[in-house]
Amino acid sequence: MTDQLTEREVGRSRVRKEDARLVTGRTTWTDNISVTGLLHMAFLRSPMAHATIDRVDVSGALERPGVIAAFSGRDLADELGSLPCVWPVTEDIVMPDHPPVAVDEARYAGDPVAVVVARDRYAAADALEAVEVDYTPLPPVLDLEEALADGAPLVHSGKGTNRCYVWPLATGDYEAEKARADIVVQRRYTQQRLIPNAIEPRSVVATPPTASNEYTLYSSTQIPHVARVTLSMTTGIPEHQLRVVAPDVGGGFGSKLQVYGEEAVALGVARRLGRPVKWTESRSEGYQATHHGRGQIQDIEIAATRDGKLLGMRVDLLADMGAYLMLLTPAIPLLGAFMYPAIYKMNAYTFNCTGVFTTKTPTDAYRGAGRPEATFAIERTMDELAAELGLDPMELRRLNWIGHEEFPYTTIAGLTYDSGNYEAATDRALALFGYDDLRAEQTARHERGDPVRLGIGISTYTEMCGLAPSRILRDLRYVAGGWEAATIRMLPTGKVEVATGTSPHGQGHATCWSQIAAEVLGVPFDDVEVVHGDTKVVPQGMDTYGSRSVVIGGVAVHHAAKKVVEKARKIAAHLLEANEADLEFSGGTFSVKGSPEATKTIQEVAFETFSSHDLPDGLEPTINAEHLVDPDNFSFPHGTHLCAIEIDTETGRARIRSYVCVDDVGKAVNPMIVQGQIHGGVAQGIAQALYEEAVYDTEGNLLSGTMADYLVPSAVDLPDFVTDRTETPATSNPLGVKGVGEAGTIASTPAVVNAVVDALRPLGVTDVEMPCTPERIWQAVQEASAQEVLA
């Protein structure tokens, strides 16, 4: 047997064990998979945002070399149902059918209208030009407010409205608080649409039943278990005959938290032809067909006293659903409903969200999913309130946030924050940032009329992680639960298998789960193997999204490992001829109190269990264990992000000079992985603030449909980040963890935009719409100058 554990694993910055395989190319991406007889699919997509489909003729495609089959939406309609939406947020929500391939009407540019199947992907793609489709154009529906107007063209004419739902939340009496306020600040913010850019495009391979009488679907997905259930319902394939495998997955950011039409079509075509089929999107195809993120208009109003105390807040939200409701579409903006009050105390809160159908690509989860939008609105408005009151924006926040001594604290939105220390994170961030010196430099630049202005942006945030409590999800009308499963298998040779229901796509689960299991079991880190992403190997799970993996999945591993120890204790006591109560367990070894020479390692117990030569009567010959976690509450990481930005007012160019973030994610299982998650999240938040936007023309065509038109920042576009942590353990789980995957994205966008506006405020600029491009910044300066001249 190998040496037992001699130092703590949880809290140790280990190099990720999965990375060596990834960087040396020993990977299995879905597009790498090749099976005997494999065919390839290609989709013909509507060039129009809105049109009736009068005729689809695939006969020309069937005559092309290498083509095996071709189908219209009507050809597939009887065997493929509507794609799933599992979160109908209100009783009267409008939920139109969503065929995987459009039948009668195309509702966004990119809506699939036909599929061609050929011997290779190039033959399939070439044959698309031979498919004939007759369209009758219909008016596009693009503007959220115009879509709700009387007489507006309808995305789904049979539904009689473009209003998907109205969802309210109200606590306290906002109108009464507003009536006694000294100041009321009203602002409108636009959350532009964002297009996810995972490094691996979406891909799917479907194989028909073989001797096992089982369909297998390989997909670059975040949710193999959810996909198995929903695709079974969509295609009619019995769930027990459908295996879903997520092999190596190269990022997702929410875009692979989805059940897509291409997956359903792949299964349907494999069933119809009796042959395996593959589809992999091109990058430009993905820009149209992979769901988008954000897409909101936020009207926010804050009432306060003249000394800066918040009294209440009202939020009215218009949320762009796009053309259809996908898996979680209607719920995404509502995940932010509980986070607009953020870390602040107030007496009343009113929230109202209206979901709106448009003839654009459907929206759904994108890193942060509703919480970045909420954080942006409140943090921008706090800066605006500070400016109106003549207060330093950090001082205003200090006046209103929840003090560390007040936890646990139930917010006006109804969430109970279990722990936090906003003061500690902020003080540390300010010290690293040099806040007072930067403010002094900013004043000096302004006084001398420097055309390059310095702005300082603040974001003091919290978020809710661990999307899980099943009873809460029930109350919010989510169809499924939020539990998570883990199984620990002790092998006869002393090695350990951890089977987790979470499905990683870059987060480092294999490393962190190994650390959690190794610490509890007292076995070496390298003796632990983590398996995941295959519904046959790991039959139970709820997958990965909402920063839930460590908070629920990692905690499930911890509990399962504890169960293994307790099972092993019974056998060790028998082997050592001692009472269970007299055994101590440390560093992977059972010993008898008072007799230190009498020991058994847990790995020795595993082999004795395998042989079963000397087990207690009536005891099962296994120490394997399973545990399912369904927590009672979310977890709430928090932190302070500070951004210093320099803006050339003559050109509009913005350059981030320094960026400091201090985050509190509770206990860190692996601090190095935490830092990496923060870096990635901050990069995506900066991207929304300065670079990225999905742009449509007046006909509903996506103008930013390639990487040449949609600006994804590279390393050279981003600053060095100064990161640090404070540590306030969660009280809701034994590991004290809080989640980190989305924190950087949630916090960074308002910090950057606040810095942009702070730099330009002396010139009369109070807002710059995202992304804050040089053109938009320059235009804001020109408009403010013109207003000053007129005044």
Side-chain angles (χ1 to χ4, degrees), residues 480-734:
W483 49 266
E484 195 48 77
T487 299
I488 305 288
R489 297 192 280 260
M490 292 293 300
L491 305 181
T493 54
K495 308 302 182 184
V496 180
E497 281 185 344
V498 176
T500 175
T502 63
S503 187
H505 43 281
Q507 295 91 337
H509 291 189
T511 301
C512 291
W513 281 211
S514 294
Q515 290 180 267
I516 293 168
E519 176 151 311
V520 175
L521 299 173
V523 301
F525 169 81
D526 290 329
D527 282 359
V528 183
E529 182 76 13
V530 178
V531 295
H532 55 77
D534 185 335
T535 61
K536 195 174 187 70
V537 177
V538 187
Q540 292 192 99
M542 290 302 293
D543 305 318
T544 296
Y545 41 86
S547 296
R548 71 190 301 272
S549 290
V550 72
V551 178
I552 309 169
V555 170
V557 171
H558 171 86
H559 284 299
K562 288 282 190 182
K563 286 183 176 179
V564 169
V565 172
E566 292 313 305
K567 283 187 172 185
R569 183 185 299 276
K570 296 180 182 297
I571 297 172
H574 175 77
L575 296 172
L576 293 170
E577 299 180 345
N579 292 322
E580 287 183 48
D582 292 332
L583 288 192
E584 296 177 330
F585 181 72
S586 178
T589 300
F590 292 99
S591 60
V592 181
K593 296 176 184 176
S595 302
E597 72 285 353
T599 63
K600 284 286 182 183
T601 69
I602 195 167
Q603 292 170 308
E604 290 172 328
V605 172
F607 186 82
E608 294 286 354
T609 306
F610 166 72
S611 71
S612 301
H613 292 170
D614 186 17
L615 294 184
D617 292 339
L619 197 68
E620 287 183 299
T622 179
I623 57 173
N624 297 344
E626 178 183 78
H627 193 87
L628 276 74
V629 168
D630 193 350
D632 296 325
N633 195 9
F634 304 102
S635 65
F636 302 95
H638 66 83
T640 296
H641 286 222
L642 302 172
C643 176
I645 201 163
E646 291 182 328
I647 294 182
D648 187 333
T649 57
E650 295 176 345
T651 65
R653 181 177 182 270
R655 182 184 73 87
I656 296 177
R657 178 168 136 181
S658 63
Y659 194 99
V660 169
C661 51
V662 176
D663 295 277
D664 193 322
V665 299
K667 290 284 187 180
V669 174
N670 186 313
M672 183 168 60
I673 288 178
V674 167
Q675 186 179 33
Q677 287 288 304
I678 292 293
H679 274 227
V682 169
Q684 283 186 273
I686 291 174
Q688 178 175 7
L690 298 180
Y691 300 109
E692 296 186 22
E693 181 179 23
V695 179
Y696 286 84
D697 68 13
T698 57
E699 297 301 315
N701 299 303
L702 182 64
L703 297 180
S704 52
T706 71
M707 280 192 161
D709 309 297
Y710 185 91
L711 182 53
V712 179
S714 68
V716 299
D717 300 304
L718 298 168
D720 290 333
F721 306 132
V722 177
T723 64
D724 203 353
R725 292 186 299 112
T726 55
E727 194 169 280
T728 311
T731 63
S732 56
N733 64 75

Side-chain angles (χ1 to χ4, degrees), residues 169-181 183-186 300-304 311-316 346-351:
L169 174 67
T171 57
D173 188 337
Y174 174 73
E175 291 302 324
E177 295 297 330
K178 180 180 177 181
R180 72 185 188 91
I183 183 171
V184 176
V185 172
Q186 298 175 325
I300 183 168
E301 183 176 279
I302 284 184
L311 298 176
M313 175 168 57
R314 184 176 70 197
V315 176
D316 289 302
M346 59 189 74
N347 303 326
Y349 171 53
T350 296
F351 174 91

Side-chain angles (χ1 to χ4, degrees), residues 11 25 49 66 136 141 144 169 234 257 303 380 410 437 454 462 571 638 774:
T136 298
V141 181
L144 296 180
L169 174 67
T234 300
L257 167 54
R380 280 287 295 113
T410 300
D437 290 343
L454 176 63
T462 190
I571 297 172
H638 66 83

